[in-house]
Amino acid sequence: MIKLRSLTAVTLLACWAITWNPAQAQAPADQLGWQLAVHSYTFKNYSIYDAIDKTAGLGLKYMSISGNVHLDGTNSISTIALSEKDQQTVKDKLKADGIIKVVNMGVVQLP
């Protein structure tokens, strides 16, 4: 009888393991219907690329970007002053890391 229960448990576990797809597993925020975002200022001591990595590492798909970002090193640049090449690099990084939407971009003084 114990062998039958063990065999049944192992069979059920094997069936579950075969059919479970981690790519289809929803993050807890998705299960609740939330669209949780992280503001890049949370990682103000890092470049925007590191902030994107850290946001994706948390399993989040949404991000808010500060009015000023660090591209490389400690030099800060306004998001409205980013070159088209830098804008595209940031967009490509967001897409590559699975960030599907930038919900807003920081507060800046308009010219």
Side-chain angles (χ1 to χ4, degrees):
M1 189 67 167
I2 293 175
K3 287 183 181 181
L4 181 59
R5 286 184 186 163
S6 297
L7 181 60
T8 303
V10 169
T11 303
L12 290 174
L13 183 61
C15 290
W16 173 80
I18 290 169
T19 59
W20 184 68
N21 183 354
Q24 292 177 342
Q26 286 187 321
D30 293 333
Q31 292 173 3
L32 294 170
W34 294 0
Q35 294 181 343
L36 185 63
V38 167
H39 191 64
S40 64
Y41 188 79
T42 303
F43 306 111
K44 66 182 178 199
N45 296 329
Y46 300 93
S47 73
I48 187 62
Y49 308 114
D50 290 337
I52 293 168
D53 284 339
K54 291 176 184 305
T55 300
L58 293 169
L60 301 177
K61 300 176 188 172
Y62 305 93
M63 191 168 183
S64 169
I65 298 180
S66 297
N68 292 310
V69 295
H70 300 287
L71 295 177
D72 293 313
T74 58
N75 293 336
S76 179
I77 185 167
S78 172
T79 53
I80 60 173
L82 287 174
S83 69
E84 287 186 28
K85 179 183 172 192
D86 289 335
Q87 289 177 23
Q88 190 59 49
T89 304
V90 171
K91 288 178 186 178
D92 292 344
K93 178 65 174 167
L94 288 162
K95 185 176 181 178
D97 280 17
I99 307 295
I100 60 173
K101 185 175 183 182
V102 174
V103 295
N104 74 325
M105 194 166 289
V107 178
V108 294
Q109 178 93 22
L110 295 175

